[in-house]
Amino acid sequence: MERGLFLVLPLFLGLLQQGRGGPLEVEPRERVVVVAVGGSVQLTCRLDCAGPRAASVQWRGLDTSLGAVQSGAGSSVLSVRNASLSTAGTRVCVGSCGNLTFQQTVKLLVFAFPDQLTVSPVALVAGLDKEVACTAHNVTPADPDALSLSLLLGDRELEGVQALGRDEEEEPQEGEDVLFRVTERWLLPPLGTPAPSALHCQATMRLPGLQLSHRQPIPVLHNPPSPKPPVMTSLEATLDQGSTHSPPSPGKPGNSSTGPCLPEIHRSPVPGGLELLCEAACGPGVAVRWTQAPGDLAAYARREAGAQAWLSVLWAACNPEGWFQCRLDPGGQKASLYVVPEICFPLTSEALWTGSLVLGLLFLVFLTYRLWKCRWARQLLGSSALPGPN
């Protein structure tokens, strides 16, 4: 009796295991299927029944965005087109042969990984720059297990580099999809002599059955550039973060159709000076602020209001020439402008001497008038005190 139970029990367990999904086939075979935002994918489920019984196969979803389903005898095809983040989730294929029911589950994972890398600074000066930051825009998922940022020398990671931190922030979006901006910063080691011609920031997305990478070069300048523009009376603007060749994500607003949102500096002449305006047309949720000015930033009149910030430069104040810089938050993108004062009215020694002479003459005239007035008053008093004739 006991020997008979030992023979029947493995057969019974085998039937249970087959009933959970043995003959049910799903293409592709991976339990996690990856698709990019805006992409398409097709899942096919098949079931063959032994004997004359016809198989019934149907896709089911755990949410409302199941996709387009076409079912026939023994098969069911689920098609997902123009995938969005709401498309992600679990799909279940259920098939039956008579009284036996089988099922297979597939997890649909939607990701976003456009070629939108920016670096700061856009170029390194050998021996001067000590830190570098790299930002991947409009990505998801953003966790370190899926998205990694690294600094490369050639095809290998730069040795001796020290990670300073990682920031993950939501990108401003008009649609329902939530995409992220991921920034990683490093402290650079000595680059050696001679320094390499360039470093590279590399972003890598690792998902089940998929690995993608994008690179952004960071040129290394061996000779620091001149701090003054070639035309001393002109104003030149530079952007500290670029990668303007990358296309924006679908539906993402911005001030450039070829790259991520960047701040801009505009100048307007005003009586006696210049007014600088830093602004970023990036939609809601951003702010700009002034971070650098020749001399002391606190010496300038400033006003900040969200995505706009103003700064006044007065020629009469004789502010030193140099770079003005503003920063976009969140993101850290910067814009810079070099300003040379066109007019200045310094108080020279000659002007001081002339002013002192005029003040001295005025004081002398005032003193002479007072003495004359006092003498005249005394004469009047003396003449009135004389006795009259008897």
Side-chain angles (χ1 to χ4, degrees), residues 7-26:
L7 294 176
V8 174
L9 183 59
L11 178 62
F12 179 71
L13 292 177
L15 291 175
L16 287 180
Q17 184 177 2
Q18 184 181 13
R20 287 199 299 269
L24 198 62
E25 297 181 357
V26 176

Side-chain angles (χ1 to χ4, degrees), residues 10-238:
L11 178 62
F12 179 71
L13 292 177
L15 291 175
L16 287 180
Q17 184 177 2
Q18 184 181 13
R20 287 199 299 269
L24 198 62
E25 297 181 357
V26 176
E27 291 291 340
R29 297 182 179 276
E30 292 79 8
R31 292 300 181 94
V32 179
V33 176
V34 178
V35 60
V37 170
S40 302
V41 66
Q42 183 172 286
L43 305 178
T44 302
C45 184
R46 298 185 183 89
L47 177 62
D48 293 328
C49 293
R53 293 175 297 181
S56 173
V57 183
Q58 184 68 41
W59 281 103
R60 298 176 183 176
L62 301 183
D63 48 32
T64 57
S65 57
L66 175 62
V69 177
Q70 291 183 344
S71 298
S75 67
S76 182
V77 179
L78 186 152
S79 299
V80 176
R81 298 180 179 87
N82 193 22
S84 63
L85 296 185
S86 61
T87 308
T90 301
R91 305 295 188 272
V92 181
C93 178
V94 178
S96 61
C97 288
N99 295 328
L100 294 178
T101 300
F102 312 91
Q103 74 176 30
Q104 290 278 14
T105 60
V106 177
K107 182 179 180 181
L108 199 60
L109 178 61
V110 181
F111 74 98
F113 188 51
D115 188 3
Q116 295 182 9
L117 290 180
T118 58
V119 292
S120 177
V122 293
L124 298 171
V125 178
L128 294 181
D129 291 311
K130 301 298 183 182
E131 295 184 12
V132 65
C134 180
T135 302
H137 297 267
N138 299 300
V139 297
T140 190
D143 60 278
D145 293 335
L147 178 68
S148 63
L149 296 171
S150 56
L151 201 58
L152 304 183
L153 175 59
D155 293 328
R156 303 178 63 181
E157 289 196 20
L158 180 63
E159 296 183 358
V161 68
Q162 179 181 346
L164 297 178
R166 178 187 175 105
D167 298 324
E168 299 176 8
E169 301 171 302
E170 289 188 10
E171 292 271 25
Q173 301 287 334
E174 286 187 345
E176 297 180 356
D177 290 348
V178 178
L179 302 179
F180 297 90
R181 172 176 55 245
V182 180
T183 301
E184 191 143 354
R185 297 176 176 83
W186 300 276
L187 181 64
L188 294 173
L191 297 180
T193 304
S197 60
L199 301 179
H200 285 83
C201 166
Q202 177 171 288
T204 302
M205 179 72 74
R206 294 182 177 90
L207 299 171
L210 178 70
Q211 179 170 317
L212 299 173
S213 295
H214 299 310
R215 284 190 183 185
Q216 176 68 22
I218 314 173
V220 178
L221 305 179
H222 293 245
N223 295 319
S226 172
K228 296 184 180 181
V231 181
M232 297 304 294
T233 59
S234 67
L235 303 176
E236 296 184 357
T238 62

Side-chain angles (χ1 to χ4, degrees), residues 221-275:
L221 305 179
H222 293 245
N223 295 319
S226 172
K228 296 184 180 181
V231 181
M232 297 304 294
T233 59
S234 67
L235 303 176
E236 296 184 357
T238 62
L239 289 175
D240 283 350
Q241 294 212 3
S243 187
T244 58
H245 63 278
S246 302
S249 63
K252 179 180 183 301
N255 61 349
S256 172
S257 61
T258 58
C261 181
L262 297 170
E264 298 177 352
I265 298 179
H266 307 281
R267 59 186 179 94
S268 301
V270 296
L274 195 67
E275 184 175 73

